[in-house]
Amino acid sequence: GTGSGSLSHALIRTVAPTGHLYTVEFHQQRAEKAREEFREHGVEHLVTVTNQDVCKNGFGVSNIADAVFLDIPSPWEAIGHAKSALKAEGGRICSFSPCIEQVQRTCLAMEEYGFTEINTLEILLRVYNVRTVSLQIPDLGKAAEDNSSTGFDSSNPSNQGSLCTNLQQGTVQFKSGVPLREMVGHTGYLTFATKS
Amino acid sequence: RKIIFEKQWFYLDNAIGHTYGTTFEVTSGGNLQPKQEVEESTTETKEAGTDNRNIVDDGKSQKLTHDDIKALKDKGIKGQEIVQQLIENSTTFRDKTEFAQDKYIKKKKKKYEAVITIVKPSTRILSTMYYAREPGKINHLRYDTLAQMLTLGNIRAGNKMIVMETCAGLVLGAVMERMGGYGSIIQMYPGGGPVRAATSCFGFPKPFFDNLHEFPLSKVDSLLSGTFSTETLPSEPEDNVLVEEESNGLTDEKQILLQETEEESTTETAMEINQTEEQDTMDMNAEDVEFKENKEKENKDNVREKQRKQWERRKKLIETAALLTEKNADGLIVASKFHPTPLLLSLLEFVAPSRPFVVYCQYKEPLLECYTKLRERGGVINLKLSETWLRNYQVLPDRSHPKLTMSGGGGYLLSGITVVLDKGKSDSSHLEALKMEEPSSKRCKVQDLHC
């Protein structure tokens, strides 16, 4: 499932200079575009793009892969081909699917084909923005007697910089790693297994 | 040698000669025996209940006692048989639902079937094991965080990497695995020497270590300020000469410098040996005359060997210092128990511009400070503070759900890319950078979030 070729580039970077990536894309133009880009980036000797349906015709190689990655709509249909492309023992497979139903079918297929250590997980990236935050100290008033100070010690340097110069109550500043208001909550589930 | 693992003990002798991935059974004698593939009979019609409304958990449903089970074990009965016996002697088994039966069988198998599979080590396996069993040794670096580091750091064959870690050498091993023996690594270390306990578990071929160097953190400041000198014996004239050479020849004459210092070391070492030999001869007079000659020779050999080793170490140190002062490393990885800020601020000096760096910290706050200091320093772009959230799933027909327990946290990462540090402009440019850090809330639209 070459698609944009983004993951392919990352894999090529990882296996260079002695490894090789075999990638299969069933859309003819996408396959051609990928070939072009690999050429432009000077990595064409490290990759072979095959234009076919991996579910029907496999990867074009057998018994040599250290690992197989599937990013296609029906990965359970490619498990058998993945198995024959993988080396005899110890090869790893990973399948990426957005829907849990796809994952269920894929796990079943992996089990049927004798894969072991089948494990599904998801990971999400959480990014934080580093911000200096100023929180105002509330005015809790003064007690009835004179000469009483506010409960909170306003010895903090609240009037520095460009922030909050005219507050009578003062502020407390601190650095915080603030999450983004909205984050990516789901892309897909990753299912890994071993051919043993 | 007896290995104890997960409450099982056994000898590894019979494993030799088998391929990786072979599964063994532990016999009653503690020996390993290749396990035969047994076809699980799935065609049996299992008697099962529909729910647990009538099942009473009084702890009495298993008719076999601890002693009965022990007797079976002592007889040498296979784990599979024991599980079968437990099922037959359970009064509630056939009332359980099919799912409950599966769960029961799985649990008993785990307890009574001693099955071992021997696998080839890899970053995946070692990082998972360390996180599960010895997280303290790796500063609670979870394996997905490590994976992020390898990608953000663009670790690959041919790089010249600087690695500073106190994770038992696991991070170093992961970097070495990615580099496949190509390129070079300089490992910075605190104290007396680098810890590479985990690194040795990877089973790398010897050539991988040819381009692995190490350098003590305690010498970093002197290296950066141009006052670097190797460790010296008390009376060493050559040392002062070294200092002069280093501070003069740093930028241009590195090659000549190296040769000069090598020559200095050779003559100096020869001088030392002569001195110590004389010392030895003087000491010998006080000892037993009969052994004098043999002892003399032995001592001379030992001293010579020690001197030689010291000379070797010093030579390597100078070589590594030269590699660092080239200031052209392709990347920096930091993952340690120390506060990251001083490490980054100094080690970044050795990295070329337009290169990635990644800092791991178990806690977020030190990275907040690090971020701020880096912004003040300048010379970095694309600063990103992140963590990854990881969740495992159970996927079974009609029983798919996230697993019960998950890791609360796997540490934090601060990553970025170096750029040319223009010291002249740093005042105005860093203020600009600070201003740009504060986003205006109006710009936060939903479609912006896709970038």
Side-chain angles (χ1 to χ4, degrees), chain A residues 102-112 118 120 191, chain B residues 395:
Chain A
Q102 293 168 302
V103 173
Q104 287 174 310
R105 289 211 188 103
T106 307
C107 285
L108 217 52
M110 286 179 177
E111 227 178 306
E112 279 164 15
I118 302 167
T120 302
T191 303
Chain B
V395 178

Side-chain angles (χ1 to χ4, degrees), chain B residues 138-198:
Chain B
I138 55 169
N139 300 283
H140 295 260
L141 170 68
R142 203 174 54 208
Y143 42 93
D144 56 304
T145 310
L146 177 59
Q148 287 287 309
M149 290 168 76
L150 295 175
T151 296
L152 289 168
N154 198 28
I155 312 299
R156 62 193 179 140
N159 275 5
K160 177 179 177 180
M161 292 301 305
I162 299 177
V163 176
M164 196 281 140
E165 60 115 296
T166 58
C167 298
L170 175 67
V171 174
L172 176 66
V175 170
M176 286 174 75
E177 190 187 73
R178 272 293 167 99
M179 290 173 63
Y182 293 87
S184 63
I185 303 171
I186 302 166
Q187 183 185 8
M188 313 299 292
Y189 62 88
V195 177
R196 291 178 182 162

Side-chain angles (χ1 to χ4, degrees), chain B residues 159-313:
Chain B
N159 275 5
K160 177 179 177 180
M161 292 301 305
I162 299 177
V163 176
M164 196 281 140
E165 60 115 296
T166 58
C167 298
L170 175 67
V171 174
L172 176 66
V175 170
M176 286 174 75
E177 190 187 73
R178 272 293 167 99
M179 290 173 63
Y182 293 87
S184 63
I185 303 171
I186 302 166
Q187 183 185 8
M188 313 299 292
Y189 62 88
V195 177
R196 291 178 182 162
T199 322
S200 53
C201 293
F202 281 81
F204 293 130
K206 233 177 148 290
F208 273 42
F209 292 90
D210 291 346
N211 285 313
L212 172 60
H213 312 272
E214 51 281 334
F215 194 83
L217 281 179
S218 57
K219 293 280 186 188
V220 167
D221 254 6
S222 63
L223 195 60
L224 287 172
S225 65
T227 56
F228 171 71
S229 76
T230 54
E231 284 290 69
T232 59
L233 295 172
S235 51
E236 287 228 14
E238 67 97 26
D239 211 61
N240 299 325
V241 184
L242 246 184
V243 172
E244 267 184 289
E245 300 286 314
E246 291 280 353
S247 42
N248 289 338
L250 267 178
T251 41
D252 298 327
E253 302 114 276
K254 278 167 230 104
Q255 198 53 44
I256 309 161
L257 166 67
L258 215 62
Q259 285 171 7
E260 278 175 348
T261 32
E262 273 177 1
E263 283 165 30
E264 299 275 292
S265 303
T266 339
T267 41
E268 163 258 348
T269 317
M271 267 167 46
E272 281 170 40
I273 288 172
N274 289 335
Q275 279 173 12
T276 11
E277 275 180 7
E278 285 168 30
Q279 190 80 31
D280 278 353
T281 325
M282 290 201 299
D283 288 339
M284 286 311 126
N285 291 330
E287 293 179 4
D288 197 343
V289 180
E290 282 184 33
F291 294 114
K292 187 175 145 197
E293 279 183 18
N294 290 336
K295 263 248 158 188
E296 224 175 82
K297 188 178 186 302
E298 207 183 286
N299 275 356
K300 276 190 202 167
D301 285 344
N302 285 345
V303 166
R304 204 169 286 151
E305 187 55 29
K306 246 176 92 175
Q307 295 287 8
R308 190 191 69 80
K309 280 197 175 147
Q310 230 170 48
W311 180 80
E312 279 290 330
R313 270 205 309 268

